[in-house]
Amino acid sequence: MSETVNDLDVWLDDMAGAALPGGVAAGALAGAMGAALIAKAGRVSLRRGTPEGAVADMVAIADSGRRELMRLVQADVDAYRKVLHKQGLTAWLAATGVPLQVAEISHKLLGQLDRLCQECWPGIAVDLEIGIDLLKVARAAGLIAARDNLSYLESRPEADGLRRRLEA
């Protein structure tokens, strides 16, 4: 097993036995894996003769989304750690904003896949399909957590922007 897989195994042990990382971090990681599979499907399709243009653009968008979702894995841990340490309104706002970002990025990626789905090389299409499913998991995780966290903010006006984003 590689060092990276060992690191992931330790992370999963932490998830199984400690308060952090939690569901949003897991969702963000799932989304990052989904974005990686989408970029892979695009790259393989391009190497197999799919015309560049929109597919090449999708690869770049997926790579950017993957990096952002990976950043949000740690951002969620950091934000929710503040909630656990009872750091108040600011902590709850951050712990709600991070899952919303996970959902928004995943939703954006899902909305841009039409051309890749049409032009994907058949031999890699299953990776594309799994990538799409992982992004759907990330989106759902973000939305579920954001809704739940907003309930702790009740009718605080500071959370109005988060509420509007959730409703969009």
Side-chain angles (χ1 to χ4, degrees):
M1 223 174 358
S2 74
E3 186 174 313
T4 302
V5 173
N6 285 331
D7 291 346
L8 182 57
D9 195 43
V10 168
W11 192 81
L12 292 171
D13 282 344
D14 289 346
M15 180 176 284
L20 298 169
V24 173
L29 181 59
M33 291 188 299
L37 286 171
I38 287 164
K40 174 184 177 179
R43 283 190 179 90
V44 169
S45 295
L46 289 168
R47 285 195 296 270
R48 295 299 219 157
T50 297
E52 290 211 19
V55 174
D57 292 344
M58 188 64 235
V59 169
I61 291 165
D63 282 339
S64 175
R66 175 185 47 83
R67 286 188 294 275
E68 186 62 15
L69 287 163
M70 284 303 296
R71 183 191 68 75
L72 291 171
V73 170
Q74 187 60 49
D76 179 63
V77 171
D78 295 342
Y80 210 76
R81 181 175 289 119
K82 291 176 182 176
V83 168
L84 294 175
H85 287 91
K86 299 180 181 174
Q87 293 185 4
L89 176 63
T90 303
W92 277 109
L93 291 170
T96 305
V98 170
L100 269 175
Q101 289 178 63
V102 170
E104 290 165 344
I105 291 166
S106 300
H107 184 74
K108 179 181 175 187
L109 288 170
L110 287 164
Q112 297 182 0
L113 291 172
D114 288 343
R115 184 76 182 268
L116 182 55
C117 288
Q118 294 168 7
E119 298 188 16
C120 186
W121 179 62
I124 197 75
V126 70
D127 280 0
L128 176 61
E129 186 176 341
I130 292 167
I132 289 168
D133 285 344
L134 288 168
L135 282 171
K136 288 177 181 177
V137 166
R139 179 176 61 189
L143 291 173
I144 290 165
R147 279 188 196 107
D148 187 66
N149 290 351
L150 273 173
S151 71
Y152 293 101
L153 292 167
E154 298 168 349
S155 60
R156 300 291 299 255
E158 296 91 336
D160 287 346
L162 296 170
R163 282 188 199 85
R164 282 190 296 277
R165 286 171 54 199
L166 184 61
E167 293 167 3

